[in-house]
Amino acid sequence: MPMLEGVFVPHVTPFDGKEEIDEPALRELVNYVINAGLNGLVSLGSNGEFPYLSFGEKLKVVETVLNEANGRVPVVAGATENSTKETIRLGKALLDLGADALLIGPPYYFKPSSEELFAHYSILAERLDGEILLYNVPKFTGINIPIDVIERLANEHSNIIGIKDSGGSMGRITELVRRLGDRFTVLAGTADVMYPSWMLGAPGAVVAVANVAPELCAELWGAFREGNHRKARELQLRVNLINEVVVKRYNQISAIKSAMAMRGLKAGKPRLPSLPLDEKALGDIERALREAGLSETPGSDEVKS
């Protein structure tokens, strides 16, 4: 598959008024983020509300995204389940559909020990005929995968190719890059560390904000690649403004979908038990988008220079 480089969007799963997957809206969303210049899609990540989807719904989401993307960008599929057996079942099905790689977080109900984490991922690497990205997201799982475990997995399994680290720690990302270097892909999983992580050698990011401001994220990546660090710094600060409100302040899923709706995107409401935001929260999001220079509707003039 193409190298995992640049900004990937862990896209939302749009629902209709009956909480069913809105396939036309999902197809529109795929085209929107690709046309905005993003480098790839991640289906069934946290922002895709994967814990609330059935096995069949997960396959439907990934199949729809793969069909619509049609090879234009890589598609990584989330295969996080609580048992090793179910993770293998889902992972095999997603690879059979054509997913370019799998994103797999740790089991998050019974908290596994370091040895259990190593055993879990080792068995997955042996049983799944595809490339695997580890997913470190302590905000939701309560687990910070130890760096020693990550290094051991990378050294012993050639198909464990990288990690999306959403812990928000530049120190941790720096240490991962130092220890594993070019042989392991370290992707920033939170928008506020994108630019600094790239400066240290991380080749990309998978960030929730890319749902709301894909053009801004693509422009930031482009500025970094061109060596225009003054512009990259300015763009990173604008991304942070959105991230602080949309991702950190409120229910992340509800806030992202609300922000997308303000930009004219068909994201639908979150699936219950997540609830829509109140008027105060919506006002905060609207002000953040306006201050960041984002227009209300998607189009070529959305990101103001």
Side-chain angles (χ1 to χ4, degrees), residues 157-218:
H157 301 284
S158 60
N159 61 330
I160 296 182
I161 62 166
I163 186 169
K164 177 195 175 189
D165 197 294
S166 300
S169 166
M170 269 309 304
R172 180 182 165 93
I173 288 174
T174 302
E175 184 64 2
L176 284 168
V177 172
R178 184 188 73 81
R179 289 201 199 184
L180 296 166
D182 295 338
R183 61 196 172 93
F184 193 77
T185 300
V186 179
L187 299 173
T190 50
D192 48 6
V193 299
M194 281 198 292
Y195 175 55
S197 73
W198 300 340
M199 290 293 290
L200 286 168
V206 183
V207 292
V209 166
N211 282 288
V212 178
E215 301 87 346
L216 207 59
C217 293

Side-chain angles (χ1 to χ4, degrees), residues 9-31:
V9 56
H11 65 81
V12 302
T13 300
F15 297 120
D16 62 22
K18 296 181 180 179
E19 290 198 356
E20 300 298 327
I21 295 169
D22 188 338
E23 186 176 326
L26 181 55
R27 291 184 180 277
E28 284 183 28
L29 182 59
V30 169
N31 286 302

Side-chain angles (χ1 to χ4, degrees), residues 29-102:
L29 182 59
V30 169
N31 286 302
Y32 172 59
V33 297
I34 292 175
N35 292 336
L38 294 182
N39 304 97
L41 295 112
V42 175
S43 301
L44 307 180
S46 299
N47 299 284
E49 298 176 72
F50 78 85
Y52 297 162
L53 300 180
S54 69
F55 185 87
E57 287 177 322
K58 291 174 184 178
L59 300 190
K60 180 179 179 180
V61 167
V62 173
E63 184 174 26
T64 301
V65 171
L66 284 166
N67 287 342
E68 198 63 32
N70 195 28
R72 287 178 288 170
V73 296
V75 176
V76 177
T80 302
E81 297 286 359
N82 267 305
S83 74
T84 306
K85 181 178 180 180
E86 282 301 300
T87 306
I88 292 168
R89 175 176 175 242
L90 178 58
K92 284 183 174 179
L94 296 174
L95 291 171
D96 286 345
L97 287 176
D100 292 297
L102 300 175

Side-chain angles (χ1 to χ4, degrees), residues 96-111:
D96 286 345
L97 287 176
D100 292 297
L102 300 175
L103 177 71
I104 305 179
Y108 51 87
Y109 189 83
F110 298 113
K111 300 297 184 278

